[in-house]
Amino acid sequence: MTIAPGIHEMEERDLSWAELVMGVFIHVHDGIIITDRQGRIVEVNNAFCTITGYSRDEVLGRSPRFLQSGTHDADFYAAMWRTLLANGVWRGEITNRHKNGRSVVELLTISAVHGSNGRTISYIGTFTDITPLKAQQRELERLAYFDALTGLPNRRMLMDRLRQMLAWAERSARSVAVCYLDIDGFKAINDGQGHHAGDRILIEVAHRLEKALRKGDTVARLGGDEFVLLLAEVNAVDDVCGMLERILAGVKQPIGGAPAAALSASIGMTVFPADPADAETLLHHADQAMYRAKNAGPGRYCLYDVGITTAPASANRPPAP
């Protein structure tokens, strides 16, 4: 590959190599910062000023440290300089601070420039603002693990947490309760009052469930009107039953224009390790128990019977008061 034809063309247009380089420096969309050997800024380009919010006059002679956001600790910068001194280049993501105070995530490359004697004479940093890309990435991660309507963990995160809780329960010889909650008659409410009213009910129920749980517990939405509660450090089934009664009573409270009598829930529960199943099976058992409760009438909860392989016709718990 040769660059000679390009040079000849530049000469024909009376464009010098220095002028070409300066044109690239000025108009490129990546930020460029040049420092001397001591790390003092000697030049920046227009993109640097656009990305950071600082003018050229405001930064000349300063150390780039003033751009630090406080996101990274001293070890981060120490590792950066070790790599730069050893290899002559460092590449990575870094979070700096814009002049207006907001954080800017940058994809940064720092290169050492060496003189004819091999000594470092300056450093050049080139960087791209990837803040919008990182925000989009976080949103995709949120959608992958959280329910878009309620903001609760979705099934994927639920199963991850349940497996972690089961591993913890085995190590610590403690119990974990898996509770499957379904809103009674929700389809009729959703069809009769409209999806907007249905969404409002789901959001409020999610909020009430979150408030009812303890630190370390989890509530997730599987979809529709189905929620799952993971209760850690269960000491006795009666303790869980008391919590479920309070949850069912809370769900009965009026939500917006929904009549109190029209809103109730059914809950099925199983407890590990009394039910020594894996995560998926525990969820299925809690679902079975929920249908037992629902078949017995609205506003009930039911404990899964490990000795029964098929769901019987009635629940073994009365309605919550």
Side-chain angles (χ1 to χ4, degrees):
M1 180 178 178
T2 177
I3 62 171
I7 293 176
H8 293 323
E9 290 172 6
M10 286 188 292
E11 290 174 346
E12 291 173 1
R13 297 195 305 270
D14 295 326
L15 181 63
S16 70
W17 180 257
E19 289 172 330
L20 177 63
V21 172
M22 183 55 67
V24 172
F25 181 81
I26 293 173
H27 298 294
V28 71
H29 292 292
D30 289 348
I32 301 176
I33 177 173
I34 303 174
T35 74
D36 60 18
R37 185 170 54 190
Q38 286 73 37
R40 294 185 295 264
I41 299 173
V42 297
E43 192 58 88
V44 295
N45 70 343
N46 292 340
F48 171 94
C49 299
T50 300
I51 295 172
T52 67
Y54 290 93
S55 69
R56 177 176 179 271
D57 290 342
E58 288 178 300
V59 303
L60 292 183
R62 300 179 67 179
S63 166
R65 291 191 183 93
F66 77 92
L67 295 170
Q68 293 179 6
S69 63
T71 302
H72 310 288
D73 58 19
D75 291 341
F76 173 87
Y77 293 104
M80 172 196 291
W81 277 102
R82 282 196 301 270
T83 300
L84 182 57
L85 294 175
N87 303 328
V89 64
W90 179 89
R91 296 184 181 91
E93 290 183 11
I94 190 168
T95 301
N96 282 328
R97 191 172 302 283
H98 190 276
K99 184 179 179 180
N100 63 14
R102 66 178 175 86
S103 294
V104 180
V105 185
E106 301 165 359
L107 188 59
L108 171 66
T109 298
I110 306 175
S111 302
V113 179
H114 301 102
S116 57
N117 60 1
R119 295 181 60 189
T120 299
I121 59 175
S122 67
Y123 296 95
I124 298 177
T126 59
F127 60 95
T128 303
D129 181 0
I130 59 171
T131 307
L133 182 63
K134 298 299 287 186
Q136 183 181 35
Q137 180 181 335
R138 288 192 297 271
E139 178 62 13
L140 290 174
E141 291 173 351
R142 187 187 70 81
L143 293 175
Y145 288 98
F146 292 89
D147 175 56
L149 177 65
T150 64
L152 295 178
N154 61 14
R155 184 185 182 94
R156 182 177 180 181
M157 177 168 280
L158 168 74
M159 298 311 296
D160 286 347
R161 290 189 180 179
L162 178 53
R163 292 185 183 99
Q164 292 173 13
M165 290 174 71
L166 295 181
W168 166 84
E170 287 184 328
R171 292 193 304 269
S172 59
R174 304 298 292 271
S175 297
V176 172
V178 181
C179 308
Y180 204 112
L181 181 149
D182 183 271
I183 300 175
D184 299 323
F186 180 76
K187 185 178 185 302
I189 296 172
N190 203 39
D191 292 345
Q193 299 184 28
H195 294 296
H196 180 73
D199 287 349
R200 186 173 69 250
I201 288 174
L202 292 173
I203 293 170
E204 179 60 26
V205 168
H207 177 65
R208 293 181 183 185
L209 294 177
E210 282 188 300
K211 287 183 63 177
L213 297 189
R214 307 158 302 175
K215 184 178 180 181
D217 296 337
T218 293
V219 55
R221 181 186 176 217
L222 297 189
D225 60 326
E226 297 178 330
F227 298 85
V228 172
L229 314 175
L230 304 181
L231 309 180
E233 298 190 49
V234 174
N235 296 316
V237 171
D238 287 344
D239 293 339
V240 181
C241 292
M243 179 181 295
L244 297 186
E245 289 173 358
R246 291 191 295 273
I247 288 173
L248 290 176
V251 170
K252 280 189 174 183
Q253 299 303 310
I255 298 177
L263 200 61
S264 63
S266 299
I267 302 177
M269 172 182 64
T270 192
V271 179
F272 177 89
D275 182 359
D278 60 22
E280 288 285 356
T281 305
L282 287 170
L283 191 62
H284 176 63
H285 288 173
D287 187 27
Q288 283 186 308
M290 183 272 294
Y291 276 105
R292 290 180 61 197
K294 190 174 288 288
N295 288 337
R300 295 175 181 262
Y301 63 93
C302 175
L303 174 65
Y304 177 78
D305 189 338
V306 179
I308 299 176
T309 57
T310 58
S314 62
N316 59 357
R317 294 288 179 180

